[in-house]
């Protein structure tokens, strides 16, 4: 009952936002956000509709309008990295398949001595071979990379209150891209949403446009919303855990998580965990992965499921007596997982991962485990919470309070309200 009430309140809050300004949106759309009071400018959120799914597409993306005149680009939303970049005709040495024409830079190069360029090279590898420009290279865990230069251009965004803002923000003009092992989807670039100064959120916050808070609600049915700002949720109803100050590059809880299976401890504690929207699946280190697969196989013993060794959708799949149509048909055979994080020496917050948040139904009608061995792909001891395990929850990264929060939500219903359509360009 409490879960239903929480979902209702979130939906009600978004509905009130939509209904509260939709009658005047035509007038307000013509205005540009240009407040002198920084606090006044930061009392509203920026919301984007999210498209995609974990399977079979394998990614979620948002549409961002950039340039003068503004042009649409599909960007992979990634809380695991800072830099936003577009495939760019500078000219392009290597560019991947993309849904839109290559980005044409305005010529507004970011110089090498710019603070954002220095922030981008905190590891000390900055070389100012050409002082008038800031060169960059970003690499991702799946082996993908982008090489280019930092430029500034106009982003066309809309507040939930109907006002438009057109800030000039730094982004990467990527003229040499290498696809990663998991990069099989055509996108125009990446929307960097991390904690660093060069991230779009940090830049908007430093210019006084939004609170330094980001959140997303991804639906298991596909789609959802992404938002900047803190006025789309009731903070008192959110489960919070402090962010790590030592592992400050990513959205990581300060205290390691304890892994639970079926409500009981697995004995695995102090798990270094990162929330990463740039990953479709969840990755556990070898020890945690082996524990989960062992417990699942033991639990499924005697059940009408057997391993489907001919299904290579994911490393571990099971088949039933007949093909499964959806998770509802099979989740009764699986127990929930959870990560328990200490919020203080006496209290804890529980991040629940029910079967539908770690399983998929493959094209062959088998049920597959959406938790993979991260150590095998170079994540070492890291445990990465991907999109599959964050579905149907509102996940909030509050950089002002240095906290990560979550609350159950009907993300499909939020998206179906069409609230995001009001914010589209």
């Amino acid at each position: 009952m409490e879960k239903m009430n929480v979902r209702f309140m979130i939906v009600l809050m978004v509905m009130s936002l939509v209904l509260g300004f939709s009658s005047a949106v035509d007038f307000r759309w013509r205005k540009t956000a240009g407040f002198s009071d920084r606090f006044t400018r930061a009392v509203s959120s920026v919301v984007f509709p999210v498209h995609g799914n974990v399977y079979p597409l394998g990614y979620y993306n948002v549409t961002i309008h950039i340039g003068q005149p503004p042009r649409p680009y599909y960007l992979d939303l990634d809380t695991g990295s800072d830099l936003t970049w577009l495939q760019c005709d500078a000219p392009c040495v290597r560019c991947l398949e993309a849904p839109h024409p290559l980005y044409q830079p305005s010529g507004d190069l970011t110089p090498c001595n710019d603070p954002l360029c220095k922030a981008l090279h905190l590891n000390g590898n900055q070389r100012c071979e050409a002082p008038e420009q800031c060169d960059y290279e970003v690499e991702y865990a799946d082996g993908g990379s982008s090489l280019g230069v930092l430029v500034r251009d106009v982003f066309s965004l809309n507040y939930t209150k109907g006002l438009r803002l057109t800030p000039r923000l730094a982004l990467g003009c990527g003229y040499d891209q290498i696809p990663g092992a998991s990069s099989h989807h055509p996108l125009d670039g990446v929307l960097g949403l991390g904690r660093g100064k060069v991230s779009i959120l940090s830049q908007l916050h430093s210019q006084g446009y939004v609170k330094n808070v980001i959140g997303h609600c991804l639906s298991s049915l596909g789609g959802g919303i992404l938002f900047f700002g803190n006025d789309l949720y009731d903070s008192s109803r959110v489960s919070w855990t402090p962010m790590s100050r030592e592992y400050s590059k990513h959205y990581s809880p300060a205290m390691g998580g304890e892994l639970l299976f079926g409500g009981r401890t697995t004995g695995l504690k102090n798990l270094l965990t990162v929330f990463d929207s740039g990953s479709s699946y969840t990755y556990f280190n070898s020890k945690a992965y082996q524990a989960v697969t062992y417990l699942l196989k033991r639990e499924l013993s005697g059940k009408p499921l057997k391993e489907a060794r001919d299904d290579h959708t994911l490393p571990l799949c099971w088949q039933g007596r007949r093909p499964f149509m959806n998770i509802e048909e099979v989740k009764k055979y699986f127990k929930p997982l959870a990560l328990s994080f200490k919020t203080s020496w006496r209290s804890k917050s529980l991040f629940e991962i029910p079967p539908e948040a770690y399983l998929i139904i493959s094209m062959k009608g088998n049920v597959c485990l959406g938790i993979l061995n991260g150590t095998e792909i170079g994540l070492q001891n890291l445990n990465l919470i991907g999109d599959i395990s964050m579905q149907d929850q509102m996940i909030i990264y509050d950089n002002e309070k240095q906290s990560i929060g979550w609350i159950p939500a009907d993300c499909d219903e939020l998206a179906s309200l069409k609230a995001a359509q009001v914010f589209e360009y």
Side-chain angles (χ1 to χ4, degrees), residues 215-271:
H216 53 72
C217 197
L218 307 176
S219 171
S220 57
L221 299 177
I225 62 170
L226 167 74
F227 60 90
F228 300 161
N230 66 344
D231 59 358
L232 288 184
Y233 58 90
D234 181 351
S235 181
S236 66
R237 292 182 171 269
V238 177
S239 297
W240 296 101
T241 189
M243 285 185 195
S244 172
R245 297 187 182 275
E246 296 178 8
Y247 201 68
S248 59
K249 187 177 180 181
H250 299 292
Y251 293 113
S252 176
M255 301 183 189
E258 177 182 4
L259 182 62
L260 308 178
F261 179 80
R264 294 186 173 186
T265 183
T266 60
L268 294 171
K269 300 180 179 181
N270 299 318
L271 297 174

Side-chain angles (χ1 to χ4, degrees), residues 170-187:
L171 72 152
C173 164
Y175 54 76
D176 191 351
Q177 276 69 241
I178 296 176
S182 60
S183 301
H184 307 300
H185 46 275
L187 291 173

Side-chain angles (χ1 to χ4, degrees), residues 29 46 92 103 145 282 303 370 424:
W29 252 37
V46 176
C92 195
Y103 169 66
S145 66
T282 289
K303 304 286 176 62
E424 288 183 348

Side-chain angles (χ1 to χ4, degrees), residues 345-358:
W345 295 113
R346 294 185 178 182
S347 60
K348 299 178 180 180
S349 285
L350 196 66
F351 183 80
E352 299 182 48
I353 310 176
E356 55 268 34
Y358 68 79

Side-chain angles (χ1 to χ4, degrees), residues 308-413:
R309 300 186 185 277
D310 61 338
D311 191 338
H312 303 294
T313 303
L314 288 172
L316 187 54
C317 298
W318 297 270
Q319 64 185 48
R321 295 179 180 138
R322 57 180 177 78
F324 297 108
M325 301 299 293
N326 54 60
I327 293 293
E328 294 300 316
E329 294 180 356
V330 71
K331 70 178 186 179
K332 62 185 177 182
Y333 300 120
F334 294 83
K335 288 189 175 180
L337 295 166
L339 285 165
S340 177
F341 298 103
K342 289 183 178 179
T343 56
S344 66
W345 295 113
R346 294 185 178 182
S347 60
K348 299 178 180 180
S349 285
L350 196 66
F351 183 80
E352 299 182 48
I353 310 176
E356 55 268 34
Y358 68 79
L359 299 171
I360 66 159
I361 302 298
S362 73
M363 292 298 186
K364 294 186 175 183
N366 300 318
V367 58
C368 300
L369 179 63
I371 297 174
L372 309 178
N373 189 330
T375 305
E376 288 185 350
I377 64 166
L379 294 179
Q380 300 178 340
N381 202 39
L382 192 66
N383 299 278
L384 192 152
I385 305 301
D387 294 337
I388 189 171
S389 300
M390 296 189 285
Q391 292 176 128
D392 299 324
Q393 298 197 68
M394 184 177 281
I395 310 295
I396 304 154
Y397 312 95
D398 190 330
N399 293 294
E400 302 206 350
K401 296 180 179 178
Q402 291 290 292
S403 296
I404 303 171
W406 53 86
I407 181 173
D410 191 333
C411 302
D412 180 59
E413 190 166 359

Side-chain angles (χ1 to χ4, degrees), residues 13-14 16-18 20-21 25 28-29 32-35 37-48 157-165 201 204-205 207-215 226-233 400 419 422-423:
M13 289 173 70
V14 175
S16 66
L17 281 168
V18 177
F21 70 82
V25 72
R28 292 175 181 171
W29 252 37
T32 300
F35 303 95
D37 185 346
R38 290 171 63 88
F39 177 78
T40 303
R41 289 168 64 181
V43 296
S44 186
S45 293
V46 176
V47 181
F48 309 89
L157 309 172
N158 290 305
Y159 279 135
T160 53
K161 297 186 183 302
L163 295 169
R164 177 173 300 162
L165 58 153
L201 173 66
L204 286 172
H205 173 65
Q207 294 182 31
Y209 287 107
V210 294
K211 296 289 188 181
N212 197 358
V213 178
I214 189 172
L226 167 74
F227 60 90
F228 300 161
N230 66 344
D231 59 358
L232 288 184
Y233 58 90
E400 302 206 350
V422 183
F423 317 132

Side-chain angles (χ1 to χ4, degrees), residues 48-261:
F48 309 89
V50 171
H51 307 285
N53 55 51
V54 169
Y55 183 82
L57 286 180
Y59 64 93
Y60 288 94
N61 71 281
V62 295
T63 302
I64 305 290
H65 290 79
I66 303 171
Q68 292 179 301
R71 292 182 172 87
Y73 298 98
Y74 296 164
L75 302 184
D76 194 348
L77 57 150
D78 185 13
T79 57
S81 65
D82 294 335
L83 181 67
T84 292
W85 58 266
L86 293 175
Q87 296 203 99
C88 178
D89 190 6
C92 195
V93 177
R94 281 181 292 189
C95 276
L96 313 176
E97 178 186 0
H100 295 104
L102 296 178
Y103 169 66
Q104 296 279 352
S106 63
D108 189 1
L109 289 170
T110 300
C112 191
N113 63 357
D114 189 283
L116 287 183
C117 186
K118 293 180 180 179
L120 192 60
H121 297 89
L122 283 178
N123 55 6
N125 65 350
Q126 184 180 16
R127 298 192 305 271
C128 288
E129 297 177 357
E132 72 279 2
Q133 70 183 45
C134 174
D135 298 301
Y136 79 83
E137 182 174 10
V138 290
E139 297 179 347
Y140 300 96
D142 66 353
S145 66
S146 175
L147 178 70
V149 294
L150 209 62
V151 299
R152 277 184 166 84
D153 211 334
V154 174
F155 282 61
S156 296
L157 309 172
N158 290 305
Y159 279 135
T160 53
K161 297 186 183 302
L163 295 169
R164 177 173 300 162
L165 58 153
T166 53
R168 294 186 67 83
L169 305 173
L171 72 152
C173 164
Y175 54 76
D176 191 351
Q177 276 69 241
I178 296 176
S182 60
S183 301
H184 307 300
H185 46 275
L187 291 173
D188 297 304
V190 169
L191 182 65
L193 303 171
R195 298 171 68 179
K197 291 182 179 179
V198 77
S199 78
I200 293 300
L201 173 66
S202 295
Q203 291 187 62
L204 286 172
H205 173 65
S206 68
Q207 294 182 31
Y209 287 107
V210 294
K211 296 289 188 181
N212 197 358
V213 178
I214 189 172
H216 53 72
C217 197
L218 307 176
S219 171
S220 57
L221 299 177
I225 62 170
L226 167 74
F227 60 90
F228 300 161
N230 66 344
D231 59 358
L232 288 184
Y233 58 90
D234 181 351
S235 181
S236 66
R237 292 182 171 269
V238 177
S239 297
W240 296 101
T241 189
M243 285 185 195
S244 172
R245 297 187 182 275
E246 296 178 8
Y247 201 68
S248 59
K249 187 177 180 181
H250 299 292
Y251 293 113
S252 176
M255 301 183 189
E258 177 182 4
L259 182 62
L260 308 178
F261 179 80

